Amino acid sequence: PFQKEFKPAKPVLLVPKQAKVGATWTWTMTSTDGKTTATLSAKVTKTETVTVGGVKTATSVIETTLKLTGDVTYTANDTINYDETHLIQVRDHTKGSGMVNGFAFQTDITSVLRTTKPS
């Protein structure tokens, strides 16, 4: 296992307010140990209605690519369904691969929100 900490000099954009199809953004930051650089590029590709907890929810679909370079290498492609009404990701699928300390690894992670109502 390894641990990296990133603290951007200024805030980075997660999702633009009122994201429109076609909107793009990027950011780059360096790990606090100076050994790894993270670069993200993102684009709102479409809108889509998904069902969350039995409720149809309007979302923006955001496609991202995250690249780590330096002592850790990693490339991940992520598809996010973002619910702007509740300011939350309701579905997320990330698939990637990389190398750290001579060991190759892969990720394939899906998360789905069960409800947009707090309990």
Side-chain angles (χ1 to χ4, degrees):
F2 67 96
Q3 182 174 336
K4 285 288 176 179
E5 181 178 37
F6 291 86
K7 290 184 178 179
K10 58 182 180 176
V12 297
L13 183 62
L14 177 61
V15 178
K17 185 100 170 147
Q18 299 176 344
K20 303 281 187 225
V21 172
T24 63
W25 63 98
T26 62
W27 50 255
T28 299
M29 69 178 84
T30 303
S31 60
T32 55
D33 66 5
K35 296 180 180 179
T36 309
T37 299
T39 303
L40 178 116
S41 60
K43 181 176 185 176
V44 179
T45 58
K46 62 183 177 178
T47 59
E48 185 174 75
T49 299
V50 296
T51 302
V52 180
V55 177
K56 291 190 183 292
T57 304
T59 68
S60 295
V61 178
I62 302 168
E63 303 281 340
T64 71
T65 299
L66 173 68
K67 292 188 179 202
L68 300 181
T69 56
D71 64 336
V72 176
T73 59
Y74 178 66
T75 300
N77 295 299
D78 194 8
T79 302
I80 301 163
N81 286 85
Y82 182 74
D83 171 1
E84 192 168 305
T85 300
H86 297 97
L87 303 175
I88 195 165
Q89 293 179 183
V90 297
R91 184 168 51 194
D92 183 4
H93 179 239
T94 304
K95 191 169 187 175
S97 62
M99 174 113 19
V100 63
N101 298 326
F103 293 97
F105 65 95
Q106 295 184 339
T107 58
D108 191 346
I109 304 165
T110 300
S111 59
V112 179
L113 197 67
R114 292 184 187 175
T115 182
T116 58
K117 297 176 184 172
S119 55

